[in-house]
Amino acid sequence: MKLSSRRNLLKILIAIILGAIILASFLPTVGNEKVGDTSVHLIDINPDKIDWKAKSDQYWKKQLSPLQYKVTRQAGTEKPFSGKYWNHKEVGTYTCSNCGQELFKSDHKFKSGTGWPSFFDLLSKDKITQKEDRLFGMKRIELLCSRCDAHLGHVFNDGPKPTGLRYCINSISLNFKKK
């Protein structure tokens, strides 16, 4: 390869990297904030008997931490490798941090290398609502809790068998129940 071709290739690679860094700075991200295994507002209640979709924005602001609110009610994203469940390996069930609905089984979790908890399958298709997301000109499928409309993350077609899907979920939108 000629020296001028290598230089041009290097310039293109630098432009791509700088473009990715600039784009990432505009994505809605929030800092690292950890909460216990159960969101405080879910303690001592039966979450199955509550109409979560009827809850007001004021209710969610009072009940959730600032990070939970930003991610789950405003479709934000936590920083990669910052959440408590990205490298979590215990056996049990992951639930919605807003309403307690069971969403994912731990045996469907896999290491994706992305920095967010990733699952190749859902506990049940009726637990998740999928919605087209075109933020910043990207076409993605957003995942929402079907019971309370909390933003969970996105699904991609680059997961392992048997589904080929990667449900990429924010840790802060989850709680965990040990088996």
Side-chain angles (χ1 to χ4, degrees):
M1 185 183 279
K2 291 184 180 180
L3 185 61
S4 63
S5 296
R6 286 184 186 163
R7 284 185 182 151
N8 287 337
L9 182 59
L10 183 60
K11 288 178 186 178
I12 291 170
L13 287 173
I14 290 171
I16 290 170
I17 291 168
L18 288 175
I21 291 169
I22 291 169
L23 177 62
S25 70
F26 288 104
L27 292 174
T29 60
V30 288
N32 183 23
E33 176 182 308
K34 300 191 186 233
V35 295
D37 284 343
T38 302
S39 297
V40 175
H41 70 283
L42 296 175
I43 296 173
D44 296 330
I45 65 164
N46 182 346
D48 297 331
K49 297 193 182 258
I50 295 173
D51 181 3
W52 293 102
K53 289 186 180 181
K55 298 294 183 188
S56 70
D57 195 49
Q58 284 303 101
Y59 170 85
W60 292 117
K61 282 183 181 176
K62 285 181 185 175
Q63 300 304 318
L64 303 175
S65 71
L67 178 60
Q68 280 179 304
Y69 180 80
K70 178 76 173 170
V71 171
T72 64
R73 306 320 301 176
Q74 296 182 318
T77 303
E78 66 192 6
K79 292 178 182 177
F81 305 103
S82 69
K84 65 182 176 177
Y85 296 127
W86 77 270
N87 199 26
H88 187 252
K89 294 175 173 71
E90 290 185 76
V91 176
T93 305
Y94 293 88
T95 63
C96 175
S97 69
N98 285 206
C99 72
Q101 177 169 240
E102 293 185 345
L103 301 170
F104 300 97
K105 294 191 320 187
S106 61
D107 59 350
H108 291 162
K109 190 171 186 284
F110 71 99
K111 189 173 183 175
S112 66
T114 62
W116 291 279
S118 296
F119 304 86
F120 64 81
D121 206 359
L122 306 169
L123 187 72
S124 174
K125 295 201 184 306
D126 66 331
K127 308 280 185 178
I128 303 280
T129 303
Q130 295 188 11
K131 179 178 143 188
E132 188 173 287
D133 176 3
R134 291 190 171 263
L135 188 65
F136 301 111
M138 297 181 281
K139 184 179 177 185
R140 304 181 294 177
I141 302 297
E142 179 183 10
L143 302 172
L144 304 165
C145 173
S146 65
R147 185 157 73 178
C148 70
D149 287 334
H151 170 79
L152 303 170
H154 293 86
V155 64
F156 302 96
N157 290 318
D158 60 0
K161 291 179 181 181
T163 65
L165 298 174
R166 174 174 52 95
Y167 293 90
C168 187
I169 309 298
N170 290 287
S171 285
I172 200 72
S173 66
L174 299 172
N175 286 327
F176 183 75
K177 290 191 322 188
K178 276 187 184 180
K179 188 170 185 177

Coordinates of all heavy atoms in Angstrom, one line a residue, residues 77-166:
T77 N -29.9 7.0 29.6 CA -29.0 5.8 29.5 C -27.9 6.0 30.6 O -27.3 7.0 30.7 CB -28.4 5.6 28.2 OG1 -29.4 5.6 27.2 CG2 -27.5 4.4 28.1
E78 N -27.7 4.9 31.4 CA -26.6 5.0 32.3 C -25.3 4.7 31.6 O -25.3 4.2 30.5 CB -26.8 4.0 33.5 CG -26.8 2.5 33.0 CD -27.3 1.5 34.1 OE1 -27.8 1.9 35.1 OE2 -27.2 0.3 33.8
K79 N -24.2 5.2 32.2 CA -22.9 5.0 31.6 C -22.6 3.5 31.5 O -22.9 2.7 32.5 CB -21.9 5.7 32.4 CG -22.0 7.2 32.3 CD -20.9 7.9 33.1 CE -21.1 9.4 33.0 NZ -20.2 10.1 33.9
P80 N -22.0 3.0 30.4 CA -21.6 1.6 30.4 C -20.6 1.2 31.5 O -19.8 2.0 32.0 CB -20.9 1.5 29.0 CG -20.5 2.8 28.6 CD -21.5 3.8 29.3
F81 N -20.7 0.0 31.9 CA -19.9 -0.6 33.0 C -20.1 0.1 34.3 O -19.2 0.0 35.2 CB -18.4 -0.6 32.6 CG -18.2 -1.3 31.3 CD1 -17.9 -0.6 30.1 CD2 -18.2 -2.7 31.2 CE1 -17.7 -1.2 28.9 CE2 -17.9 -3.3 30.0 CZ -17.7 -2.6 28.9
S82 N -21.1 0.9 34.5 CA -21.4 1.6 35.8 C -22.5 1.0 36.6 O -22.5 1.2 37.8 CB -21.7 3.1 35.5 OG -22.9 3.2 34.9
G83 N -23.4 0.3 36.0 CA -24.5 -0.3 36.7 C -24.2 -1.5 37.5 O -23.2 -2.2 37.2
K84 N -25.0 -1.8 38.5 CA -24.7 -2.9 39.4 C -25.0 -4.3 38.8 O -24.5 -5.3 39.4 CB -25.5 -2.8 40.7 CG -27.0 -2.9 40.6 CD -27.7 -2.6 41.9 CE -29.2 -2.6 41.7 NZ -29.8 -2.5 43.0
Y85 N -25.7 -4.4 37.7 CA -26.0 -5.7 37.1 C -25.3 -6.1 35.9 O -25.5 -7.1 35.3 CB -27.5 -5.8 36.9 CG -28.3 -5.7 38.2 CD1 -29.4 -4.8 38.3 CD2 -28.0 -6.6 39.2 CE1 -30.1 -4.8 39.5 CE2 -28.8 -6.5 40.4 CZ -29.8 -5.6 40.5 OH -30.5 -5.5 41.7
W86 N -24.4 -5.2 35.3 CA -23.8 -5.5 34.0 C -22.9 -6.8 34.2 O -22.7 -7.5 33.2 CB -23.0 -4.3 33.5 CG -21.7 -4.1 34.2 CD1 -21.4 -3.3 35.2 CD2 -20.4 -4.6 33.8 NE1 -20.1 -3.3 35.6 CE2 -19.5 -4.1 34.7 CE3 -20.0 -5.5 32.8 CZ2 -18.1 -4.5 34.6 CZ3 -18.6 -5.9 32.8 CH2 -17.7 -5.3 33.7
N87 N -22.3 -7.0 35.3 CA -21.5 -8.2 35.5 C -22.0 -9.1 36.7 O -21.3 -9.8 37.3 CB -20.0 -7.7 35.9 CG -19.0 -8.8 35.7 OD1 -19.2 -9.7 34.9 ND2 -17.9 -8.7 36.4
H88 N -23.3 -9.0 36.9 CA -24.0 -9.7 38.0 C -24.2 -11.2 37.6 O -24.6 -11.5 36.4 CB -25.3 -9.1 38.2 CG -26.0 -9.6 39.4 ND1 -27.2 -10.3 39.3 CD2 -25.8 -9.4 40.7 CE1 -27.7 -10.6 40.5 NE2 -26.9 -10.1 41.4
K89 N -23.9 -12.1 38.5 CA -24.0 -13.6 38.1 C -24.9 -14.4 39.0 O -24.9 -15.6 38.8 CB -22.6 -14.1 38.1 CG -21.7 -13.5 37.0 CD -20.3 -14.0 37.1 CE -19.4 -13.6 36.0 NZ -19.0 -12.3 35.9
E90 N -25.6 -13.8 39.9 CA -26.5 -14.6 40.8 C -27.6 -15.2 40.0 O -28.1 -14.7 39.0 CB -27.0 -13.8 42.0 CG -25.9 -13.4 42.9 CD -26.4 -12.7 44.1 OE1 -27.0 -13.4 45.0 OE2 -26.2 -11.5 44.2
V91 N -28.2 -16.3 40.6 CA -29.4 -17.0 40.0 C -30.6 -16.4 40.6 O -30.8 -16.2 41.8 CB -29.3 -18.5 40.3 CG1 -30.5 -19.2 39.7 CG2 -28.0 -19.1 39.6
G92 N -31.6 -16.0 39.7 CA -32.8 -15.4 40.1 C -33.5 -14.8 38.9 O -33.3 -15.1 37.8
T93 N -34.3 -13.8 39.3 CA -35.2 -13.1 38.3 C -34.9 -11.6 38.4 O -34.9 -11.0 39.5 CB -36.7 -13.4 38.6 OG1 -36.8 -14.8 38.6 CG2 -37.6 -12.7 37.5
Y94 N -34.8 -10.9 37.2 CA -34.7 -9.5 37.2 C -36.1 -8.9 37.0 O -36.9 -9.3 36.2 CB -33.8 -9.0 36.0 CG -32.3 -9.5 36.2 CD1 -31.9 -10.7 35.8 CD2 -31.4 -8.6 36.9 CE1 -30.6 -11.1 36.0 CE2 -30.1 -9.0 37.1 CZ -29.7 -10.2 36.7 OH -28.4 -10.6 36.9
T95 N -36.4 -7.8 37.8 CA -37.7 -7.2 37.8 C -37.6 -5.7 37.5 O -36.5 -5.1 37.6 CB -38.4 -7.3 39.2 OG1 -37.6 -6.6 40.2 CG2 -38.5 -8.8 39.6
C96 N -38.7 -5.1 37.1 CA -38.7 -3.7 36.8 C -38.5 -2.9 38.1 O -39.2 -3.2 39.1 CB -40.0 -3.3 36.2 SG -40.2 -1.5 35.9
S97 N -37.6 -2.0 38.1 CA -37.3 -1.2 39.3 C -38.4 -0.2 39.7 O -38.5 0.3 40.8 CB -36.0 -0.4 39.2 OG -36.1 0.6 38.3
N98 N -39.3 0.0 38.7 CA -40.4 1.0 38.9 C -41.7 0.3 39.5 O -42.3 0.8 40.4 CB -40.8 1.7 37.6 CG -39.8 2.8 37.2 OD1 -40.2 3.7 36.6 ND2 -38.6 2.7 37.6
C99 N -42.0 -0.9 39.0 CA -43.3 -1.5 39.4 C -43.1 -3.0 39.9 O -44.1 -3.6 40.3 CB -44.3 -1.5 38.2 SG -43.9 -2.7 36.9
G100 N -41.9 -3.5 39.8 CA -41.7 -4.9 40.3 C -42.1 -6.0 39.4 O -41.9 -7.2 39.8
Q101 N -42.5 -5.7 38.2 CA -42.9 -6.8 37.3 C -41.7 -7.6 36.9 O -40.6 -7.1 36.6 CB -43.6 -6.2 36.0 CG -43.9 -7.3 35.0 CD -44.8 -6.8 33.9 OE1 -45.9 -7.3 33.7 NE2 -44.3 -5.8 33.1
E102 N -41.8 -9.0 36.9 CA -40.7 -9.8 36.5 C -40.5 -9.7 35.0 O -41.4 -9.8 34.2 CB -41.0 -11.3 36.9 CG -41.1 -11.5 38.4 CD -41.2 -12.9 38.8 OE1 -41.6 -13.8 38.0 OE2 -41.0 -13.2 40.0
L103 N -39.2 -9.6 34.6 CA -38.9 -9.3 33.2 C -38.0 -10.3 32.6 O -38.2 -10.8 31.4 CB -38.3 -7.9 33.1 CG -39.1 -6.7 33.5 CD1 -38.2 -5.5 33.6 CD2 -40.3 -6.6 32.7
F104 N -36.9 -10.7 33.3 CA -35.8 -11.6 32.7 C -35.4 -12.6 33.7 O -35.3 -12.3 34.9 CB -34.6 -10.7 32.3 CG -34.9 -9.7 31.3 CD1 -35.1 -8.4 31.7 CD2 -34.9 -10.0 29.9 CE1 -35.3 -7.4 30.7 CE2 -35.1 -9.0 29.0 CZ -35.4 -7.7 29.4
K105 N -35.0 -13.8 33.2 CA -34.4 -14.8 34.1 C -32.9 -14.7 34.0 O -32.4 -14.4 32.9 CB -34.9 -16.2 33.6 CG -36.4 -16.4 33.8 CD -36.9 -17.8 33.7 CE -36.3 -18.6 32.6 NZ -36.9 -19.9 32.4
S106 N -32.2 -15.0 35.1 CA -30.8 -14.9 35.1 C -30.1 -15.9 34.1 O -29.1 -15.6 33.6 CB -30.2 -15.2 36.5 OG -30.6 -16.4 36.9
D107 N -30.8 -17.0 33.8 CA -30.2 -18.0 32.9 C -30.3 -17.5 31.4 O -29.8 -18.2 30.5 CB -30.7 -19.4 33.1 CG -32.2 -19.6 32.9 OD1 -32.9 -18.6 32.9 OD2 -32.6 -20.8 32.9
H108 N -31.0 -16.4 31.2 CA -31.0 -15.8 29.8 C -30.0 -14.7 29.7 O -30.0 -14.0 28.6 CB -32.4 -15.3 29.5 CG -33.5 -16.4 29.3 ND1 -34.8 -16.2 29.4 CD2 -33.3 -17.7 29.1 CE1 -35.4 -17.3 29.3 NE2 -34.6 -18.3 29.1
K109 N -29.3 -14.4 30.7 CA -28.3 -13.3 30.7 C -27.0 -13.8 30.1 O -26.6 -15.0 30.3 CB -28.1 -12.8 32.1 CG -27.3 -11.6 32.3 CD -27.3 -11.1 33.7 CE -26.6 -9.8 33.9 NZ -25.2 -9.8 33.9
F110 N -26.3 -13.0 29.4 CA -25.0 -13.3 28.8 C -24.1 -12.1 28.8 O -24.5 -11.0 28.9 CB -25.2 -13.9 27.4 CG -25.6 -12.9 26.3 CD1 -24.6 -12.3 25.5 CD2 -26.9 -12.5 26.2 CE1 -25.0 -11.4 24.5 CE2 -27.3 -11.6 25.2 CZ -26.3 -11.0 24.4
K111 N -22.8 -12.4 28.7 CA -21.8 -11.3 28.7 C -21.7 -10.8 27.3 O -21.1 -11.5 26.4 CB -20.5 -11.9 29.2 CG -19.5 -10.8 29.4 CD -18.2 -11.4 30.1 CE -17.2 -10.3 30.4 NZ -16.1 -10.8 31.1
S112 N -22.2 -9.6 27.0 CA -22.1 -9.0 25.7 C -20.9 -8.1 25.5 O -20.6 -7.8 24.3 CB -23.4 -8.2 25.4 OG -23.4 -7.1 26.3
G113 N -20.2 -7.7 26.5 CA -19.1 -6.8 26.4 C -19.5 -5.4 26.2 O -18.6 -4.5 26.0
T114 N -20.8 -5.1 26.3 CA -21.2 -3.7 26.0 C -21.2 -2.8 27.3 O -21.3 -1.6 27.2 CB -22.7 -3.7 25.5 OG1 -23.5 -4.3 26.5 CG2 -22.8 -4.5 24.2
G115 N -21.2 -3.4 28.5 CA -21.2 -2.7 29.7 C -22.6 -2.5 30.3 O -22.8 -1.9 31.3
W116 N -23.6 -3.1 29.7 CA -25.0 -3.2 30.2 C -25.4 -4.6 30.3 O -25.0 -5.5 29.6 CB -25.9 -2.4 29.3 CG -25.8 -0.9 29.2 CD1 -26.2 0.0 30.1 CD2 -25.0 -0.2 28.2 NE1 -25.8 1.2 29.8 CE2 -25.1 1.1 28.6 CE3 -24.4 -0.6 27.1 CZ2 -24.5 2.2 27.8 CZ3 -23.8 0.4 26.3 CH2 -23.9 1.8 26.7
P117 N -26.3 -4.9 31.3 CA -26.9 -6.3 31.3 C -27.5 -6.6 30.0 O -28.2 -5.8 29.5 CB -27.9 -6.2 32.5 CG -27.6 -4.9 33.2 CD -26.9 -4.0 32.3
S118 N -27.2 -7.8 29.5 CA -27.8 -8.2 28.2 C -28.4 -9.6 28.4 O -27.8 -10.5 29.1 CB -26.6 -8.3 27.2 OG -26.1 -7.0 26.9
F119 N -29.5 -9.8 27.8 CA -30.3 -11.0 27.8 C -30.6 -11.4 26.4 O -30.9 -10.6 25.5 CB -31.6 -10.8 28.6 CG -31.4 -10.3 30.0 CD1 -31.2 -8.9 30.2 CD2 -31.3 -11.1 31.1 CE1 -31.0 -8.4 31.5 CE2 -31.1 -10.6 32.4 CZ -30.9 -9.3 32.6
F120 N -30.7 -12.8 26.2 CA -31.0 -13.2 24.8 C -32.5 -13.6 24.7 O -33.0 -13.9 23.6 CB -30.2 -14.4 24.4 CG -30.3 -15.7 25.2 CD1 -31.4 -16.5 25.0 CD2 -29.4 -16.0 26.2 CE1 -31.5 -17.7 25.7 CE2 -29.5 -17.1 26.9 CZ -30.6 -18.0 26.7
D121 N -33.3 -13.5 25.8 CA -34.7 -13.8 25.8 C -35.4 -13.1 26.9 O -34.8 -12.7 27.9 CB -35.0 -15.3 25.8 CG -36.3 -15.7 25.2 OD1 -37.0 -14.8 24.7 OD2 -36.6 -16.9 25.1
L122 N -36.7 -12.9 26.7 CA -37.6 -12.3 27.8 C -38.2 -13.4 28.6 O -38.3 -14.6 28.2 CB -38.7 -11.6 27.1 CG -38.4 -10.5 26.0 CD1 -39.7 -10.1 25.3 CD2 -37.7 -9.4 26.7
L123 N -38.6 -13.1 29.8 CA -39.4 -14.0 30.6 C -40.7 -14.4 30.0 O -41.1 -15.5 29.9 CB -39.6 -13.4 32.0 CG -40.2 -14.3 33.1 CD1 -39.2 -15.3 33.5 CD2 -40.7 -13.5 34.2
S124 N -41.3 -13.3 29.4 CA -42.6 -13.5 28.7 C -42.8 -12.3 27.8 O -42.5 -11.2 28.2 CB -43.7 -13.6 29.7 OG -45.0 -13.6 29.0
K125 N -43.2 -12.5 26.6 CA -43.4 -11.4 25.6 C -44.4 -10.3 26.1 O -44.3 -9.2 25.7 CB -43.7 -11.9 24.2 CG -42.6 -12.8 23.6 CD -42.8 -12.9 22.1 CE -41.7 -13.8 21.5 NZ -40.4 -13.6 21.8
D126 N -45.3 -10.7 26.9 CA -46.3 -9.7 27.3 C -45.8 -8.8 28.4 O -46.5 -7.9 28.8 CB -47.6 -10.4 27.8 CG -47.4 -11.3 29.1 OD1 -46.3 -11.8 29.3 OD2 -48.4 -11.4 29.8
K127 N -44.6 -9.0 28.9 CA -44.0 -8.2 30.0 C -43.3 -6.9 29.4 O -43.0 -6.0 30.1 CB -43.0 -9.0 30.8 CG -43.5 -10.3 31.3 CD -44.3 -10.1 32.5 CE -44.6 -11.5 33.1 NZ -45.4 -11.4 34.3
I128 N -43.0 -6.9 28.1 CA -42.3 -5.9 27.4 C -43.1 -5.3 26.3 O -43.6 -6.0 25.5 CB -40.9 -6.4 26.9 CG1 -40.1 -7.0 28.0 CG2 -40.1 -5.3 26.2 CD1 -39.3 -6.1 28.9
T129 N -43.1 -4.0 26.2 CA -43.6 -3.3 25.0 C -42.5 -2.8 24.2 O -41.5 -2.2 24.7 CB -44.5 -2.1 25.5 OG1 -45.5 -2.6 26.3 CG2 -45.1 -1.4 24.3
Q130 N -42.6 -3.0 22.9 CA -41.5 -2.5 22.0 C -42.0 -1.3 21.2 O -43.2 -1.3 20.8 CB -41.1 -3.6 21.0 CG -40.5 -4.8 21.7 CD -39.9 -5.8 20.7 OE1 -39.8 -5.6 19.5 NE2 -39.5 -6.9 21.3
K131 N -41.1 -0.3 21.1 CA -41.5 0.9 20.4 C -40.3 1.4 19.5 O -39.2 1.4 20.0 CB -41.8 2.0 21.5 CG -42.2 3.3 21.1 CD -42.5 4.2 22.3 CE -42.0 5.6 22.1 NZ -42.2 6.4 23.3
E132 N -40.6 1.9 18.3 CA -39.6 2.4 17.5 C -39.0 3.7 18.1 O -39.7 4.5 18.6 CB -40.1 2.7 16.1 CG -39.0 3.0 15.1 CD -39.5 3.2 13.7 OE1 -39.8 2.2 13.1 OE2 -39.6 4.3 13.2
D133 N -37.7 3.7 18.1 CA -36.9 4.9 18.6 C -36.0 5.4 17.5 O -35.1 4.7 17.0 CB -36.1 4.4 19.8 CG -35.2 5.4 20.4 OD1 -35.2 6.6 20.0 OD2 -34.5 5.1 21.4
R134 N -36.2 6.7 17.1 CA -35.4 7.3 16.1 C -34.6 8.5 16.6 O -34.2 9.4 15.8 CB -36.3 7.7 14.9 CG -36.9 6.6 14.2 CD -37.6 7.1 12.9 NE -37.9 5.9 12.1 CZ -37.2 5.5 11.0 NH1 -36.1 6.1 10.7 NH2 -37.6 4.5 10.3
L135 N -34.2 8.4 17.9 CA -33.4 9.5 18.5 C -32.1 9.6 17.8 O -31.4 8.6 17.5 CB -33.2 9.2 20.0 CG -32.6 10.3 20.8 CD1 -33.5 11.5 20.9 CD2 -32.3 9.7 22.2
F136 N -31.7 10.8 17.5 CA -30.4 11.2 16.8 C -30.3 10.5 15.5 O -29.2 10.1 15.1 CB -29.2 10.8 17.7 CG -29.3 11.6 19.0 CD1 -29.5 10.9 20.2 CD2 -29.1 12.9 19.1 CE1 -29.6 11.6 21.4 CE2 -29.2 13.6 20.3 CZ -29.4 12.9 21.5
G137 N -31.4 10.2 14.8 CA -31.3 9.6 13.4 C -31.0 8.2 13.4 O -30.9 7.6 12.3
M138 N -30.9 7.5 14.6 CA -30.7 6.1 14.6 C -32.0 5.4 14.7 O -33.0 5.9 15.3 CB -29.9 5.7 15.9 CG -28.5 6.3 15.9 SD -27.6 5.8 17.4 CE -28.3 6.9 18.6
K139 N -32.2 4.2 14.0 CA -33.4 3.5 14.1 C -33.1 2.3 15.0 O -32.4 1.4 14.7 CB -33.8 3.0 12.7 CG -35.1 2.2 12.8 CD -35.6 1.8 11.4 CE -36.8 1.0 11.5 NZ -37.2 0.4 10.2
R140 N -33.8 2.3 16.2 CA -33.7 1.3 17.2 C -35.0 0.9 17.7 O -36.0 1.6 17.5 CB -32.8 1.8 18.4 CG -31.4 2.2 18.0 CD -30.6 2.7 19.2 NE -31.2 3.8 19.9 CZ -30.7 4.4 21.0 NH1 -29.7 3.9 21.5 NH2 -31.3 5.4 21.5
I141 N -35.1 -0.2 18.5 CA -36.3 -0.6 19.1 C -36.1 -0.5 20.6 O -35.3 -1.1 21.3 CB -36.7 -2.1 18.8 CG1 -36.8 -2.3 17.3 CG2 -37.9 -2.5 19.5 CD1 -37.9 -1.6 16.6
E142 N -36.9 0.5 21.2 CA -36.9 0.7 22.6 C -37.8 -0.3 23.3 O -38.8 -0.8 22.8 CB -37.5 2.1 22.8 CG -37.6 2.5 24.3 CD -38.2 3.9 24.5 OE1 -38.8 4.5 23.6 OE2 -38.1 4.3 25.7
L143 N -37.3 -0.6 24.5 CA -38.1 -1.6 25.4 C -38.6 -0.9 26.6 O -37.9 -0.2 27.3 CB -37.1 -2.7 25.8 CG -36.4 -3.5 24.7 CD1 -35.4 -4.4 25.3 CD2 -37.4 -4.3 23.9
L144 N -39.9 -1.1 26.8 CA -40.6 -0.5 27.9 C -41.3 -1.6 28.7 O -41.8 -2.6 28.2 CB -41.7 0.4 27.4 CG -41.3 1.6 26.5 CD1 -42.5 2.2 25.8 CD2 -40.5 2.6 27.3
C145 N -41.4 -1.4 30.0 CA -42.1 -2.3 30.9 C -43.6 -2.2 30.5 O -44.1 -1.1 30.5 CB -41.9 -2.0 32.4 SG -42.9 -2.9 33.5
S146 N -44.2 -3.3 30.2 CA -45.6 -3.3 29.8 C -46.6 -2.8 30.9 O -47.7 -2.4 30.7 CB -46.1 -4.6 29.2 OG -46.1 -5.6 30.3
R147 N -46.2 -3.0 32.2 CA -47.1 -2.6 33.3 C -47.0 -1.2 33.7 O -48.0 -0.6 34.1 CB -46.7 -3.5 34.5 CG -47.7 -3.3 35.7 CD -47.8 -4.5 36.6 NE -46.6 -4.6 37.4 CZ -46.4 -5.5 38.4 NH1 -47.4 -6.4 38.6 NH2 -45.3 -5.6 39.1
C148 N -45.8 -0.5 33.6 CA -45.7 0.9 34.0 C -45.1 1.8 33.0 O -44.9 3.0 33.3 CB -44.9 0.9 35.3 SG -43.1 0.5 35.1
D149 N -44.7 1.3 31.8 CA -44.1 2.1 30.8 C -42.7 2.6 31.1 O -42.2 3.6 30.5 CB -45.0 3.3 30.3 CG -46.2 2.8 29.5 OD1 -46.1 1.7 28.9 OD2 -47.2 3.5 29.6
A150 N -42.0 2.0 32.0 CA -40.6 2.4 32.3 C -39.7 2.1 31.2 O -39.8 1.0 30.6 CB -40.1 1.7 33.6
H151 N -38.9 3.0 30.8 CA -37.8 2.7 29.8 C -36.8 1.7 30.4 O -36.3 2.0 31.5 CB -37.1 4.0 29.4 CG -35.9 3.8 28.5 ND1 -36.0 3.5 27.2 CD2 -34.6 3.8 28.8 CE1 -34.8 3.4 26.7 NE2 -33.9 3.5 27.7
L152 N -36.6 0.7 29.6 CA -35.6 -0.4 30.1 C -34.3 -0.3 29.3 O -33.3 -0.5 29.9 CB -36.2 -1.8 30.0 CG -37.6 -2.0 30.7 CD1 -38.2 -3.3 30.3 CD2 -37.4 -1.9 32.2
G153 N -34.4 -0.2 28.0 CA -33.2 -0.2 27.2 C -33.7 -0.4 25.7 O -34.7 0.1 25.3
H154 N -32.9 -1.2 25.0 CA -33.2 -1.5 23.6 C -32.9 -2.9 23.2 O -32.2 -3.6 23.9 CB -32.3 -0.6 22.7 CG -32.7 0.9 22.8 ND1 -32.1 1.7 23.8 CD2 -33.5 1.7 22.1 CE1 -32.6 2.9 23.6 NE2 -33.5 2.9 22.6
V155 N -33.4 -3.4 22.1 CA -33.1 -4.7 21.6 C -32.4 -4.6 20.3 O -32.7 -3.8 19.5 CB -34.4 -5.6 21.5 CG1 -35.4 -5.0 20.5 CG2 -34.1 -7.1 21.2
F156 N -31.4 -5.5 20.1 CA -30.6 -5.5 18.9 C -30.6 -7.0 18.3 O -30.8 -7.9 19.0 CB -29.2 -5.0 19.2 CG -29.2 -3.6 19.7 CD1 -29.1 -3.4 21.1 CD2 -29.3 -2.5 18.9 CE1 -29.1 -2.2 21.7 CE2 -29.2 -1.2 19.4 CZ -29.2 -1.1 20.8
N157 N -30.3 -7.1 17.0 CA -30.2 -8.4 16.4 C -28.8 -9.0 16.3 O -28.5 -9.7 15.4 CB -30.7 -8.2 14.9 CG -32.2 -8.0 14.9 OD1 -33.0 -8.6 15.6 ND2 -32.6 -7.0 14.0
D158 N -28.0 -8.8 17.4 CA -26.7 -9.3 17.4 C -26.4 -10.2 18.6 O -25.3 -10.3 19.1 CB -25.7 -8.2 17.3 CG -25.8 -7.2 18.5 OD1 -26.6 -7.4 19.3 OD2 -25.0 -6.2 18.5
G159 N -27.4 -10.8 19.1 CA -27.3 -11.7 20.3 C -27.0 -13.1 19.9 O -26.9 -13.5 18.7
P160 N -26.8 -14.0 20.9 CA -26.5 -15.4 20.7 C -27.7 -16.2 20.4 O -28.8 -15.7 20.5 CB -25.9 -15.8 22.0 CG -26.6 -14.9 23.0 CD -26.8 -13.6 22.3
K161 N -27.5 -17.4 20.0 CA -28.5 -18.4 19.7 C -29.2 -18.7 21.1 O -28.5 -18.6 22.1 CB -28.0 -19.6 19.1 CG -27.6 -19.4 17.7 CD -27.0 -20.7 17.0 CE -26.6 -20.4 15.6 NZ -26.0 -21.5 15.0
P162 N -30.4 -19.1 21.2 CA -31.3 -19.5 20.1 C -32.0 -18.3 19.5 O -32.6 -18.5 18.4 CB -32.2 -20.5 20.8 CG -32.3 -19.9 22.2 CD -31.0 -19.4 22.5
T163 N -32.1 -17.1 20.1 CA -32.9 -16.1 19.6 C -32.2 -15.1 18.6 O -32.8 -14.5 17.8 CB -33.5 -15.2 20.7 OG1 -32.4 -14.5 21.4 CG2 -34.3 -16.0 21.7
G164 N -30.9 -15.0 18.8 CA -30.1 -14.0 18.0 C -30.4 -12.6 18.4 O -29.9 -11.7 17.7
L165 N -31.1 -12.4 19.5 CA -31.4 -11.1 20.0 C -30.5 -10.7 21.2 O -30.1 -11.6 22.0 CB -32.9 -11.0 20.4 CG -33.9 -11.2 19.3 CD1 -35.3 -11.3 19.8 CD2 -33.7 -10.2 18.2
R166 N -30.3 -9.4 21.4 CA -29.6 -8.9 22.6 C -30.5 -7.8 23.2 O -30.6 -6.7 22.7 CB -28.2 -8.3 22.2 CG -27.5 -7.6 23.4 CD -26.1 -7.2 23.1 NE -26.0 -6.4 21.9 CZ -26.0 -5.0 21.8 NH1 -26.1 -4.3 23.0 NH2 -25.9 -4.4 20.7

